Amino acid sequence: MVGSLVATAFWAMLPAYVPNNAAVLAGGGRPIDGGRTWDGRRVLGDGKTWRGTAVGTLVGVLLALGLNAVNAPLSSALGFSLPTFPLHAAVALAFGAMVGDIGASFIKRRSGRERGAAFPGLDQLDFVVGSLLLAFLVAGDWFLSTFTPGVLAVILVITPLLHVGTNVIAFKIGAKDEPW
Ligand code: CTP
Ligand code: MG
Ligand code: K
């Protein structure tokens, strides 16, 4: 029971987890805010680029399609049904994760934090809120049948742990400038 909840939560959120990591590897180029400032501070900063956002979204969507392709054999091996991703839900999860992260940078800049500064709590959950909110808005029925209260509770626990873990690894291998 707990095992299937954790597996379902992890599986359902993979298309939301991977885009931010893909953006780290793909980042660079023109910043989304074009260098513009607001009240003397960058609107978003150099850490939010068009290329990182586009590649991150694309990787998340392609991952969801890949998960769909292996869903049936894996579900039957596990003895319970893992969720499948309709295309609009996949796009919402992946793009929503990027938008949540961009929104967090907007908040960080308004609160005086420079690019790369840590904002504990926001850093770990921005993309979850963005992906779940967008998925709810564009794929409401799918959202409600996939993200049951139990699955949502598991997501709130495992996401910060996974986020901290992957960022420490990304930092150690030199893919990220800070371990958060
Ligand atoms: N990145 C990107 N586009 C995005 C998100 C991330 O290009 N939409 C890339 C950038 O190279 C960024 C790196 O991934 O520097 C790490 O992402 P993140 O930690 O979210 O950005 P920070 O540089 O820490 O900036 P911020 O303080 O605004 O979060
Ligand atoms: Mg950062
Ligand atoms: K971030």
Side-chain angles (χ1 to χ4, degrees):
M1 180 63 194
V2 173
S4 69
L5 268 188
V6 173
T8 300
F10 182 67
W11 186 268
M13 287 302 282
L14 267 176
Y17 289 151
V18 170
N20 292 278
N21 298 299
V24 172
L25 300 176
R30 221 176 112 70
I32 294 170
D33 68 9
R36 279 183 285 274
T37 57
W38 186 21
D39 270 350
R41 299 188 185 277
R42 287 288 294 273
V43 176
L44 300 172
D46 284 333
K48 306 296 123 156
T49 68
W50 291 108
R51 193 169 80 204
T53 307
V55 172
T57 303
L58 191 67
V59 168
V61 172
L62 291 177
L63 175 73
L65 300 181
L67 294 178
N68 283 346
V70 298
N71 186 297
L74 202 58
S75 289
S76 72
L78 288 168
F80 56 86
S81 292
L82 292 164
T84 53
F85 303 95
L87 184 61
H88 65 304
V91 173
L93 286 173
F95 186 59
M98 301 303 326
V99 171
D101 174 63
I102 290 167
S105 290
F106 180 80
I107 293 170
K108 287 192 202 174
R109 298 303 92 81
R110 305 287 74 71
S111 67
R113 290 172 175 79
E114 298 296 334
R115 173 193 181 180
F119 196 145
L122 191 67
D123 280 330
Q124 287 74 37
L125 290 170
D126 52 13
F127 64 102
V128 185
V129 173
S131 60
L132 292 181
L133 199 63
L134 201 59
F136 177 68
L137 291 176
V138 310
D141 290 343
W142 176 83
F143 179 95
L144 292 174
S145 62
T146 304
F147 295 103
T148 60
V151 170
L152 286 174
V154 170
I155 288 169
L156 283 183
V157 175
I158 65 171
T159 302
L161 299 176
L162 287 167
H163 187 264
V164 170
T166 51
N167 282 331
V168 167
I169 292 169
F171 174 68
K172 290 217 162 136
I173 65 173
K176 218 169 178 303
D177 293 336
E178 309 90 14
W180 50 77

